[in-house]
Amino acid sequence: MQANEVWGRRWSENALSMARTYMEVACKKQSLVCLAADRSTMAELNQLIDEVGPFLAALKTHVDLVDDWTPEAWSTFCSKASAADLLIFEDRKFADIGGISRKQMSGVYGIRSWADLVTAHLISGPDVVDGLQAGWSDVGRQGGVLLLAQMSSRGNLLDPGYTAKVVALGKTHSGVFGFIGNGSRPDELELLRQAVGDGKLIWTPGVNLAVGDGDMGQRYGNPREAVLAGSDCIIVGSGIHKAANPAQQAKAYAEASWNALVERNE
Ligand code: 5BU
């Protein structure tokens, strides 16, 4: 099936080429899964991507939680992700003033040189997006910002009024790739989708096939329900990387998400 048929208005109303790249990869792999690769050593990360790469549509990282990080090892890991057709998404949750965010794209980790997507809070105002975009421009690359419109953790302070302001600003900004929505609460997600329209993607953490919530206030919802409520990408961490058989679980998440996308179109 062609990406424009599968994604419908999400495809026709989205002007960003990186969003279309994601939608095409998702079609090719029949998966809406972004792996949250939250493992602490380079060996574990490499093993994980070797095992589950074919079932993923994107890769999410937390570069600062790797114990034995080196630029060389990271570059090898990123090459594996590219070879598997995956956009690399550093979940850095930038939140500073524009000029500092721009500098933070550089530094030890050099995020601007390998990340295609990053997350940001809009708490400091709209210049954070321009700062991050300037960071990519500084090295002649392009990237997209996912703004946190909602979060999956219990008791978070991103209330509906704040969400509405984030959406109003992000909807029309070409540097904004899309929004993070709360995958654990389909009703909240539906409201977010109504506010966003079809012009931007919504990616959702807080998704697990198992019943029940996670550690330290993490809340989970079902992948199918998240996609039916308007999510375009389910972000799954421990559901895959802590599984006894990560490849089998990644395949299960891929199937659940893809089937839900097909169902959404019916
Ligand atoms: P989990 O193991 O599937 O719970 O991992 C979820 C990942 O998504 C983890 O890397 C978090 O940093 C990330 N996350 C989240 O859980 N909730 C949020 O609201 C945002 C990111 Br934003």
Side-chain angles (χ1 to χ4, degrees), residues 20-242:
R20 289 191 165 190
T21 301
Y22 165 72
M23 289 189 263
E24 278 173 340
V25 171
C27 275
K28 194 166 128 190
K29 301 229 184 133
Q30 303 212 335
S31 168
L32 272 59
V33 177
C34 174
L35 171 70
D38 298 333
R39 284 189 177 171
S40 314
T41 67
M42 289 308 313
E44 289 172 318
L45 285 168
N46 284 316
Q47 186 191 2
L48 184 61
I49 199 158
D50 286 340
E51 284 174 10
V52 307
F55 307 110
L56 307 180
L59 176 73
K60 187 175 91 63
T61 57
H62 280 302
V63 67
D64 51 357
L65 62 68
V66 183
D67 294 332
D68 57 351
W69 190 91
T70 63
E72 296 75 25
W74 193 253
S75 164
T76 306
F77 176 64
C78 291
S79 301
K80 276 183 194 282
S82 301
D85 263 349
L86 307 174
L87 291 177
I88 305 177
F89 160 28
E90 168 59 22
D91 189 7
R92 171 64 178 70
K93 300 183 181 72
F94 290 95
D96 214 314
I97 59 171
I100 293 300
S101 300
R102 179 183 195 165
K103 290 186 179 193
Q104 288 172 323
M105 285 287 273
S106 175
V108 175
Y109 295 119
I111 294 172
R112 61 188 183 177
S113 301
W114 49 265
D116 303 301
L117 299 167
V118 298
T119 38
H121 283 288
L122 207 56
I123 194 76
S124 59
D127 288 293
V128 67
V129 178
D130 299 315
L132 296 170
Q133 286 297 338
W136 276 304
S137 298
D138 290 340
V139 288
R141 294 185 75 238
Q142 290 192 333
V145 178
L146 276 154
L147 289 176
L148 276 73
Q150 297 174 336
M151 288 192 75
S152 64
S153 45
R154 74 179 168 208
N156 73 71
L157 305 182
L158 285 66
D159 63 23
Y162 177 80
T163 300
K165 286 181 192 161
V166 172
V167 171
L169 194 134
K171 251 171 106 159
T172 53
H173 198 305
S174 63
V176 173
F177 175 88
F179 299 93
I180 295 291
N182 176 9
S184 75
R185 294 291 180 275
D187 48 341
E188 287 178 22
L189 207 46
E190 261 173 41
L191 293 175
L192 179 64
R193 174 51 74 191
Q194 280 168 24
V196 169
D198 287 306
K200 299 278 186 195
L201 298 179
I202 297 177
W203 288 24
T204 54
V207 170
N208 203 296
L209 281 166
V211 181
D213 287 340
D215 288 341
M216 303 191 83
Q218 173 70 306
R219 299 176 297 179
Y220 287 126
N222 177 272
R224 173 175 169 269
E225 285 177 22
V227 174
L228 291 180
S231 168
D232 302 309
C233 178
I234 54 165
I235 298 171
V236 184
S238 41
I240 294 174
H241 68 74
K242 283 197 180 154

